[in-house]
Amino acid sequence: MTGLRRAVHAEWTKVRTLPGPLWLLAAVAVLTAAVSTAAAAAVHCPAAGCTQDPAKLSLTGVEFGQAGVAVLAVLLISGEYGTGMIRTTVTAMPCRATVLAAKAAVLAGLVLVAGTVAVGGSVLAGRLILPGNGFTGFSPAHGPVLRAAAGSVVYLVLVGLLSLGVATAVRDSAAAAGVVLGLLYLFPILASVVSDPHVYRRLEQAGPMTAGLAVQSTLPGSEALGPYAGLAVLTAWATAALLLGAATFHHRDT
């Protein structure tokens, strides 16, 4: 445990002494809240009644902010390969599993903070804007809305861990970012062009983004998966990516 604490301290020191990661986190928070605000302002509920989920609508920005989280996670490991610092890292901490665990812990903590700010700003914007656009009964204190908000923060953390695992396995920043963004956005693109409803449902259930974002839904039956089942699917993707990253990190030269 002492070794892990030392490794976490070392990784945190790297992050806070470099301007890029912190600025990227700030950008994630601002972009997420800004897109959510714009989405809430753009939609009006017709007199006949609303069919859109106000919680999901107010959290639209998470779909865009996740790209920044993915890039941050990729840079945490791929950046060290690009500069050669990874050799210094594994020399100082020979246990590579500990190094990866420390990076994952620091990343999760950073995304947790930035995600909480981003989601909090998004929900607040929705609370202020949506009632004026005809949406009634939307309250951040409502149980399903709280679950959607908290689940969105967890979603961003899991996307970060998924990205870290992929980047550890791939090493190259551009390639890793491409793989992660492909995994996130490919499934909904494929689902949008298939005509078979069974295939569509399977793609929605299997995709890390479509499954994970089911946690934002507060309307019964509107998603292919339940909120917690969706997060479980994303957790499985993140776990598999981290295990693959750990295996490749352990068995190859730096």
Side-chain angles (χ1 to χ4, degrees):
M1 186 61 70
T2 301
L4 179 59
R5 282 199 298 266
R6 286 176 47 235
V8 168
H9 182 266
E11 293 301 325
W12 167 239
T13 300
K14 292 177 192 176
V15 170
R16 67 183 177 84
T17 53
L18 294 173
L22 299 182
W23 278 109
L24 189 52
L25 282 171
V28 166
V30 172
L31 175 65
T32 301
V35 172
S36 295
T37 300
V43 178
H44 294 264
C45 183
C50 299
T51 59
Q52 295 201 53
D53 188 330
K56 197 172 184 67
L57 180 62
S58 70
L59 293 167
T60 302
V62 172
E63 296 185 29
F64 295 85
Q66 67 180 346
V69 171
V71 171
L72 171 66
V74 167
L75 291 178
L76 284 184
I77 182 71
S78 298
E80 290 199 39
Y81 278 107
T83 61
M85 186 181 290
I86 191 66
R87 297 184 181 87
T88 303
T89 298
V90 297
T91 299
M93 182 61 63
C95 181
R96 299 189 180 195
T98 301
V99 172
L100 185 58
K103 287 184 180 294
V106 170
L107 174 66
L110 291 171
V111 176
L112 184 64
V113 173
T116 300
V117 174
V119 169
S122 298
V123 173
L124 177 60
R127 178 67 182 87
L128 295 174
I129 296 171
L130 289 178
N133 290 353
F135 290 85
T136 59
F138 177 69
S139 171
H142 186 46
V145 178
L146 281 174
R147 182 257 298 154
S152 294
V153 177
V154 175
Y155 172 85
L156 289 173
V157 172
L158 289 172
V159 166
L161 295 177
L162 166 65
S163 305
L164 180 65
V166 170
T168 305
V170 175
R171 293 194 286 186
D172 179 75
S173 297
V179 170
V180 171
L181 295 178
L183 284 174
L184 292 175
Y185 295 108
L186 179 61
F187 283 87
I189 291 173
L190 291 175
S192 68
V193 298
V194 299
S195 57
D196 188 326
H198 179 72
V199 175
Y200 173 86
R201 185 175 180 84
R202 290 300 183 189
L203 288 171
E204 291 279 298
Q205 292 173 333
M209 183 173 86
T210 49
L213 287 179
V215 77
Q216 294 181 346
S217 177
T218 60
L219 299 180
S222 61
E223 300 290 339
L225 280 174
Y228 300 112
L231 280 183
V233 170
L234 178 56
T235 300
W237 276 96
T239 301
L242 285 172
L243 289 175
L244 175 62
T248 55
F249 192 32
H250 177 74
H251 289 292
R252 74 184 169 209
D253 295 332
T254 54

